[in-house]
Amino acid sequence: EEEEEMEVEMEGWHQLYPGHIPTSPLQKALLAAGSAVMALYDPYRHDMVAVLGETTGCLALPNLRDKMKNHPEGYRILRERPRICLSTLDMTRLQGLPDGSLGREYVRFLEDNKVSPDTRMPPKFVDDEELAYVIQRYREVHDLMHTLLGMPTNMLGEVVVKWFEAIQTGLPMCVLGAAFGPVRLSTRKLQVLATELVPWAIRSGLNASCVLNVYYEQRWEQSVESLREELGIFPPP
């Protein structure tokens, strides 16, 4: 059955990895437009945000892959394909790490915001198996970006992380989230965002080395502060 599935032919297209849905450029454009409208209407529709990221990432994803290939740690990640999900994480060990360490603060972030690393959707529309892994990795380190940037998962926190990620990855989905995310915020929050948080996120995004080149699974004991310094992320305001 699986073999049959892998041989699904669609007008000369075929499945490149489990779950892959081959699509034409026109279908991608329609999916991008539809998912963009839905994601802007409801930024918490993670499925729509995911589809948008895959259908519009055709220029940014190869660029990110090249950055990883040209970096020793990033290259190892591409070769070994680690995953950050409940089946690979030793939550008890991470909970037992000292306060301030990446592992402890990451688990605290998951608990405080009631999120699970398993909610990330697997890629479907990326027509290259290696690039599909790159976007999967980007999704799985997203919560670590929140941890490193010290941002919660509320609308304000998401917008700040999206600004940082937009600068770092060049993914149109992040740019869109950064630009249109603030429309629902109150005037007071908009003021804090415009005067403090966004300038800090942009400066950090430009200054930091590529966040996909960190083998986070081997850095759990490292302090968040020293990893911030190593990457070049300025302390949160």
Side-chain angles (χ1 to χ4, degrees):
E1 264 184 47
E2 270 179 43
E3 275 175 22
E4 277 176 15
E5 213 175 293
M6 288 303 280
E7 283 165 22
V8 174
E9 293 286 335
M10 191 190 94
E11 300 165 23
W13 296 76
H14 60 281
Q15 199 179 34
L16 299 171
Y17 49 87
H20 174 230
I21 300 172
T23 44
S24 68
L26 175 63
Q27 288 169 318
K28 277 192 178 57
L30 291 170
L31 281 165
S35 58
V37 170
M38 284 307 295
L40 288 175
Y41 175 70
D42 179 3
Y44 289 100
R45 281 290 303 271
H46 293 300
D47 54 340
M48 290 293 115
V49 175
V51 170
L52 181 63
E54 291 177 35
T55 49
T56 59
C58 47
L59 296 173
L61 285 174
N63 189 25
L64 281 172
R65 174 187 54 192
D66 293 346
K67 279 185 184 174
M68 291 177 80
K69 277 193 163 160
N70 294 321
H71 184 278
E73 207 164 328
Y75 182 66
R76 267 187 57 220
I77 293 165
L78 272 182
R79 221 179 48 231
E80 294 172 16
R81 307 274 176 104
R83 297 286 313 274
I84 299 174
C85 46
L86 286 176
S87 59
T88 61
L89 292 171
D90 182 348
M91 297 301 269
T92 318
R93 184 174 90 80
L94 297 184
Q95 278 163 339
L97 289 173
D99 287 345
S101 64
L102 180 66
R104 182 70 196 95
E105 297 311 318
Y106 171 61
V107 172
R108 198 191 309 280
F109 167 83
L110 295 176
E111 288 166 349
D112 288 353
N113 294 282
K114 298 179 174 53
V115 285
S116 157
D118 283 5
T119 53
R120 304 280 159 217
M121 278 182 61
K124 292 191 187 92
F125 301 109
V126 178
D127 296 326
D128 179 291
E129 190 263 341
E130 194 171 42
L131 296 181
Y133 174 74
V134 172
I135 200 158
Q136 176 95 43
R137 183 68 178 172
Y138 155 73
R139 283 176 192 163
E140 290 181 0
V141 303
H142 175 75
D143 289 336
L144 283 155
M145 291 308 97
H146 276 275
T147 309
L148 280 173
L149 296 169
M151 289 293 140
T153 56
N154 60 18
M155 205 56 198
L156 189 68
E158 283 296 348
V159 169
V160 174
V161 173
K162 278 284 171 281
W163 272 98
F164 177 81
E165 289 180 338
I167 302 283
Q168 274 272 315
T169 65
L171 283 165
M173 161 199 77
C174 298
V175 177
L176 208 68
F180 291 99
V183 295
R184 295 166 169 241
L185 295 171
S186 67
T187 319
R188 191 180 62 79
K189 281 182 178 168
L190 274 173
Q191 202 179 350
V192 175
L193 194 70
T195 57
E196 288 181 39
L197 294 173
V198 167
W200 164 73
I202 293 174
R203 272 177 51 237
S204 287
L206 288 169
N207 190 57
S209 51
C210 178
V211 291
L212 288 183
N213 286 336
V214 178
Y215 212 135
Y216 294 97
E217 297 88 332
Q218 298 180 353
R219 307 287 201 107
W220 295 130
E221 284 90 358
Q222 188 172 352
S223 76
V224 170
E225 211 174 310
S226 89
L227 186 51
R228 258 185 212 143
E229 269 177 36
E230 183 189 325
L231 282 167
I233 296 170
F234 299 110

